[in-house]
Amino acid sequence: MRHSKSLLANALSSSVGFLFRLTLGISIILFLCFSLTGCLKSEDLSTANSGTPSSPNQVPNESSADSPLVPAGNLECLNTSATRKQAYFGDLHIHTKLSFDAYFFNSINGPREAYQFAKGQDAFLPSGGDPDTPARRINIGRPLDFAGVTEHAEQLGTFFNLCQVQGNLPAGTNPACQVLGQFIRDNVSVFITGDVPLYLQLVTSAGSRVPSSSTWQQIQAIANEENQPCKFTTFNGYEFSSNKGGQVLHRNVIFKDQNVPDNVISSIAPLPTTDNTNDEWGLFDTLKTTCTANMGCDVVTIPHSTNQSDGRFVRKREGPTGLPPARDNLRLTQSDAALRNQFDRLMEIAQHKGVSECITGMNQGLTGEESSGCGFEEWKTLCRGLPDDPSECAKVCKGSANDPLFCQVNRLQGSKNSIHAVQPCTTNSIGSSTPNDCTSPLDYARNVIPEGSALQRKLGVNPYQYGFIGSSDTHNGIAGNTDKAKFAKNAGHGGVLDDEPPEALGRWDCRPADSPLDPITGFNPVAVPTDANNPNNCPDRNFNPVASNFTPGGLAGVWARENTRKEIFEALKRRETFATSGSRMRIRTLASNKPFPADICQRLANGESPIEEGTIQGVPMGGTLNNTPAGGPYIVAYAMQDPGGEEPGMPLQKLEIIKGWADASGQIKQKLVTLLENKSAPQPAANCSVQIQGPEQMCAVFVDKEYNPALGASYYARALENNSCRWSTRMCTAKGVQCSALQPSNGTFPQSSGFAGYEGCCKISGEPGKFTGEFRFITQQERAWSSPIWVQSAK
């Protein structure tokens, strides 16, 4: 169980007003100390350079100019083919102690530790409420091929520099930072939801004024030193974390090599505001000025957590123009559509906070049956167990303990005000959502991709031409730790926030009795003594899912000719990428206007790259196939199972194509086509042991005979593994939890059972005196997504 809070923290929790004054005072004092004294010394790190200058791009056959192929003469690695590509796996969303939130969750690992962990070295994590002491050892098992540490640009390094005097003071020795850190950990939900109270916004704004350029230089130095061409690639980057009004508009900014701007770009305004109208446009404008306008600098931006944007990631088309509002809240222009396309090359659709491909009950214009593809690791859900739920919810959420977690997490005994159960957004608002904490079809890739095609018909350019990647969003500095077996044992991604069973799986909580909230802090100023194990002394008792809705995260895959910054970045930029939900499946698609050779699947299985080798004409995933007549295109989809690490890889169960287009009136349409399916795939055993029956590879050619040259279309492939146990189920089966041991009086396990803290393993029903539990055996299908291929015809 979690260690009890310190007496100081308990005392402060009874007076949030006092904590507000203390925290603000601490921040001002530390800010002045840092800004007025030049005595703080930073670590002297060398800036070893790597990478090679960029060179002109070439365009493959039938591909549009946005899918460049780098000339073969620039290859560096021995035994690298000038034409053949292979799959590389990486993580481009990593936080360490230089990020504001990660510092207070886990102040152990920095950028160097993150890269070394990705290479295969051991890392250490905290435990028991102490974010400063190594307590758990972990190893990735299978090293990554590439990684990019992406600290929050906002307050970059501020609290590490202030609390530890830029590394000259041991972590945990600054009492002011200890108080502030405990308060942040106790109220972490306001950061997850974005509903940060005014005084913390003020503190954040003040902290953002602390110079970050020296920290940015240190991050670059570490990345450049840890870069090992042909073996392990690092990228300089950071996260632009606009979070105004709870609308998540986050983007990871990844630079090609060591040629980068002098400083990061922060989304924090001088004064607190909910207006995010121009946040993305400000980012793009500044990158254009400070990077791409300079010789040798190149960059891509990668939106993520779009499932938390509350309808703001892609705004609805409005009015007679049929265009969405954009810069200055005016309609989107052709130049700004091109600007967004220039930088936003990819979107991250799988990470620690869920999957952003699609959501149950909100797939626009879907034809055919979506029986299993959505409902996978939904962070937000429209399935609230209410009469006005979408009809699809009843097909997925049957009230069983085996339902997907999103069906259960909002309907546990007494659960109220869930951060996951939402309603559809009803407005196109800026800075706040209506209703509060809502979701929209255009928060999800499945709907965004054809929406971009509809706008291309109006503007001549597609602002939403996104390739797909996954990444972890770890806040532990353990890059690429997405193996759910390891995640279930001792990892998590939130430091001391999800290191113990009650936090990872859920626990009973009490809420203070209704009383007015403090107008400044946003919190209830009255501390009500409660006991979560005693229903009679626990107002508004509810089962809090805590971190159970989180996932181990995803991985980014690229098809490139060698493991260097140049080749992998060019693959990212031309969108020859794929996403996985954490597995190391490989997936690949090619499109052509002509029939493929009969042995195309065997060629792909042999590792050939037919387009680059000149044996067929067409484009790889991420590209645009032009001049396609009626009766085409031909698309080949190929997938290979994860070969496995400490455990065997899972066989494939299904291979699909998802087509998207906009009809003549601009309405979004979708069609899901199952290419191959192993209908005899086994289900997981009761102990979650791996079932390895099934094909290692799947490959099929799809011909879209319904293709309309006047409309165009997009296509991406999705491969699904055999069913396996979710990480939370694995954690519960490993413990051998018996839900029959729950106490009827309060729905908790007695200490004598050995299961105390594992209540989240059970679907709890009843009321005080009559509580019962049913083991939650939740399974899922890990998956991989290819980047889309866009197909269009001559106008």
Side-chain angles (χ1 to χ4, degrees):
M1 297 295 290
R2 169 166 298 286
H3 298 301
S4 60
K5 300 177 187 176
S6 66
L7 293 176
L8 176 60
N10 274 330
L12 290 176
S13 68
S14 66
S15 178
V16 179
F18 169 70
L19 183 56
F20 160 62
R21 295 190 294 273
L22 176 63
T23 305
L24 190 57
I26 291 169
S27 301
I28 293 173
I29 291 171
L30 292 175
F31 172 71
L32 291 175
C33 175
F34 184 88
S35 59
L36 296 179
T37 63
C39 60
L40 300 184
K41 298 179 180 180
S42 62
E43 184 181 4
D44 183 18
L45 298 173
S46 63
T47 55
N49 293 328
S50 61
T52 55
S54 59
S55 59
N57 295 324
Q58 293 180 343
V59 182
N61 294 336
E62 297 193 56
S63 153
S64 66
D66 64 0
S67 299
L69 185 63
V70 183
N74 293 307
L75 300 177
E76 299 177 5
C77 307
L78 295 176
N79 301 318
T80 297
S81 169
T83 54
R84 292 194 177 186
K85 298 172 182 174
Q86 57 183 310
Y88 295 101
F89 289 93
D91 189 352
L92 296 176
H93 193 170
I94 305 160
H95 295 280
T96 79
K97 62 185 178 182
L98 297 183
S99 286
F100 159 74
D101 47 2
Y103 180 80
F104 289 111
F105 305 161
N106 162 33
S107 57
I108 294 174
N109 296 316
R112 192 178 302 281
E113 289 82 3
Y115 288 128
Q116 291 177 349
F117 176 81
K119 292 178 180 181
Q121 296 185 29
D122 288 349
F124 295 87
L125 301 175
S127 185
D130 177 7
D132 308 315
T133 303
R136 296 174 285 156
R137 183 194 300 266
I138 185 169
N139 187 281
I140 194 172
R142 289 183 287 176
L144 295 178
D145 299 307
F146 63 94
V149 170
T150 53
E151 313 286 12
H152 294 293
E154 297 73 17
Q155 297 186 334
L156 177 62
T158 296
F159 286 93
F160 168 75
N161 290 329
L162 296 181
C163 295
Q164 294 186 232
V165 196
Q166 291 188 320
N168 293 301
L169 187 69
T173 56
N174 185 322
C177 291
Q178 291 296 91
V179 172
L180 178 59
Q182 188 62 55
F183 179 69
I184 289 171
R185 291 188 290 274
D186 288 344
N187 295 280
V188 68
S189 63
V190 302
F191 296 97
I192 294 176
T193 61
D195 298 324
V196 182
L198 176 60
Y199 88 98
L200 277 180
Q201 293 184 47
L202 290 169
V203 171
T204 302
S205 295
S208 69
R209 306 280 79 79
V210 177
S212 59
S213 58
S214 63
T215 304
W216 175 225
Q217 297 302 318
Q218 293 176 35
I219 292 171
Q220 293 174 58
I222 293 170
N224 292 334
E225 289 173 354
E226 294 294 332
N227 188 56
Q228 298 174 279
C230 307
K231 183 177 181 181
F232 179 78
T233 294
T234 66
F235 287 101
N236 292 304
Y238 58 87
E239 180 179 325
F240 174 85
S241 308
S242 172
N243 214 53
K244 300 182 177 91
Q247 295 181 330
V248 174
L249 292 176
H250 295 192
R251 282 172 166 83
N252 288 331
V253 180
I254 305 295
F255 295 94
K256 180 177 182 178
D257 50 32
Q258 71 272 20
N259 297 310
V260 302
D262 292 336
N263 208 347
V264 299
I265 303 169
S266 171
S267 67
I268 297 179
L271 293 175
T273 177
T274 61
D275 186 358
N276 57 27
T277 305
N278 289 326
D279 280 14
E280 62 257 54
W281 304 114
L283 173 65
F284 299 151
D285 289 344
T286 307
L287 287 173
K288 185 174 182 179
T289 301
T290 61
C291 179
T292 57
N294 299 324
M295 184 65 67
C297 184
D298 205 354
V299 62
V300 295
T301 56
I302 308 173
H304 67 80
S305 302
T306 62
N307 57 346
Q308 297 183 79
S309 68
D310 293 357
R312 178 63 178 81
F313 170 56
V314 167
R315 300 175 69 186
K316 298 177 183 177
R317 288 172 272 161
E318 292 182 343
T321 65
L323 295 170
R327 187 191 298 266
D328 299 325
N329 216 26
L330 302 176
R331 70 185 185 189
L332 180 66
T333 65
Q334 183 184 57
S335 60
D336 274 346
L339 185 67
R340 183 162 177 162
N341 183 293
Q342 175 185 351
F343 291 107
D344 262 5
R345 308 294 292 181
L346 305 163
M347 70 180 291
E348 180 186 289
I349 65 171
Q351 59 123 262
H352 184 44
K353 291 188 282 292
V355 170
S356 300
E357 184 206 2
C358 54
I359 183 174
T360 300
M362 199 173 269
N363 290 303
Q364 291 182 297
L366 182 66
T367 61
E369 182 73 15
E370 172 66 274
S371 59
S372 64
C374 295
F376 176 72
E377 294 293 8
E378 292 185 10
W379 175 260
K380 291 185 175 182
T381 177
L382 297 165
C383 302
R384 298 166 292 147
L386 300 175
D388 62 345
D389 283 357
S391 60
E392 291 86 348
C393 292
K395 300 176 183 178
V396 180
C397 303
K398 304 180 185 300
S400 165
N402 298 338
D403 282 353
L405 183 64
F406 76 88
C407 297
Q408 302 187 43
V409 75
N410 307 294
R411 286 188 275 177
L412 296 172
Q413 177 65 34
S415 180
K416 296 182 179 180
N417 304 316
S418 169
I419 65 173
H420 303 292
V422 297
Q423 299 179 59
C425 298
T426 58
T427 67
N428 212 10
S429 60
I430 290 293
S432 61
S433 53
T434 304
N436 185 42
D437 196 20
C438 60
T439 196
S440 161
L442 294 177
D443 292 346
Y444 300 90
R446 174 80 68 81
N447 304 306
V448 167
I449 298 303
E451 179 77 4
S453 298
L455 291 178
Q456 183 172 23
R457 295 215 297 260
K458 290 180 173 292
L459 297 173
V461 61
N462 186 340
Y464 314 134
Q465 196 169 6
Y466 289 109
F468 297 154
I469 67 164
S471 282
S472 72
D473 190 21
T474 180
H475 281 61
N476 281 344
I478 48 174
N481 191 61
T482 61
D483 185 304
K484 60 185 176 183
K486 293 178 179 292
F487 192 82
K489 288 179 182 178
N490 67 348
H493 282 314
V496 296
L497 296 180
D498 59 1
D499 61 306
E500 297 179 355
E503 297 154 343
L505 299 169
R507 63 178 178 233
W508 288 104
D509 273 350
C510 311
R511 300 184 192 274
D514 291 341
S515 59
L517 299 182
D518 187 296
I520 297 177
T521 67
F523 295 111
N524 194 308
V526 179
V528 180
T530 58
D531 178 5
N533 290 333
N534 182 358
N536 296 321
N537 189 29
C538 186
D540 198 7
R541 189 172 188 250
N542 72 101
F543 198 92
N544 183 351
V546 198
S548 61
N549 231 42
F550 288 110
T551 84
L555 290 176
V558 303
W559 287 96
R561 289 173 296 181
E562 63 182 13
N563 191 359
T564 59
R565 280 179 170 176
K566 179 179 179 56
E567 289 294 315
I568 291 180
F569 182 85
E570 291 296 343
L572 295 172
K573 192 170 182 181
R574 69 177 178 262
R575 311 183 190 93
E576 198 169 351
T577 62
F578 58 98
T580 83
S581 57
S583 165
R584 298 202 186 184
M585 283 182 282
R586 292 159 172 79
I587 190 166
R588 196 175 191 183
T589 58
L590 309 174
S592 177
N593 289 331
K594 300 177 181 179
F596 286 106
D599 64 346
I600 183 62
C601 287
Q602 185 60 51
R603 292 187 186 186
L604 293 176
N606 291 341
E608 297 181 21
S609 296
I611 294 173
E612 290 75 16
E613 293 170 7
T615 59
I616 66 171
Q617 292 185 333
V619 297
M621 56 194 189
T624 300
L625 186 69
N626 291 311
N627 304 317
T628 301
Y634 298 82
I635 298 173
V636 59
Y638 170 79
M640 178 185 294
Q641 76 166 58
D642 184 339
E646 295 177 8
E647 292 186 352
M650 291 292 289
L652 301 178
Q653 193 269 331
K654 189 181 293 188
L655 182 64
E656 302 167 326
I657 285 284
I658 293 92
K659 174 186 177 181
W661 73 100
D663 67 16
S665 65
Q667 296 299 307
I668 299 306
K669 299 291 183 181
Q670 305 171 28
K671 184 174 184 178
L672 187 147
V673 179
T674 298
L675 302 178
L676 293 170
E677 181 176 7
N678 176 19
K679 295 185 178 181
S680 62
Q683 296 301 309
N687 64 356
C688 288
S689 59
V690 175
Q691 306 294 294
I692 56 173
Q693 304 170 32
E696 295 181 1
Q697 303 178 41
M698 283 187 170
C699 181
V701 176
F702 170 68
V703 184
D704 187 6
K705 297 181 179 179
E706 299 175 356
Y707 173 75
N708 185 337
L711 302 178
S714 59
Y715 308 82
Y716 68 89
R718 187 172 65 183
L720 283 69
E721 290 182 351
N722 286 355
N723 249 353
S724 59
C725 288
R726 192 176 189 269
W727 69 265
S728 52
T729 308
R730 294 185 65 131
M731 187 173 179
C732 295
T733 55
K735 184 67 175 177
V737 171
Q738 300 294 319
C739 294
S740 59
L742 283 171
Q743 300 176 101
S745 60
N746 60 9
T748 68
F749 288 115
Q751 289 293 332
S752 60
S753 69
F755 305 140
Y758 285 81
E759 287 79 8
C761 297
C762 307
K763 181 178 183 291
I764 303 174
S765 304
E767 58 188 21
K770 298 180 180 179
F771 283 118
T772 61
E774 182 181 0
F775 190 84
R776 295 200 296 172
F777 194 79
I778 301 174
T779 63
Q780 60 184 195
Q781 290 182 282
E782 300 291 342
R783 60 203 59 205
W785 302 263
S786 76
S787 286
I789 290 175
W790 289 266
V791 178
Q792 59 191 30
S793 302
K795 295 182 178 179

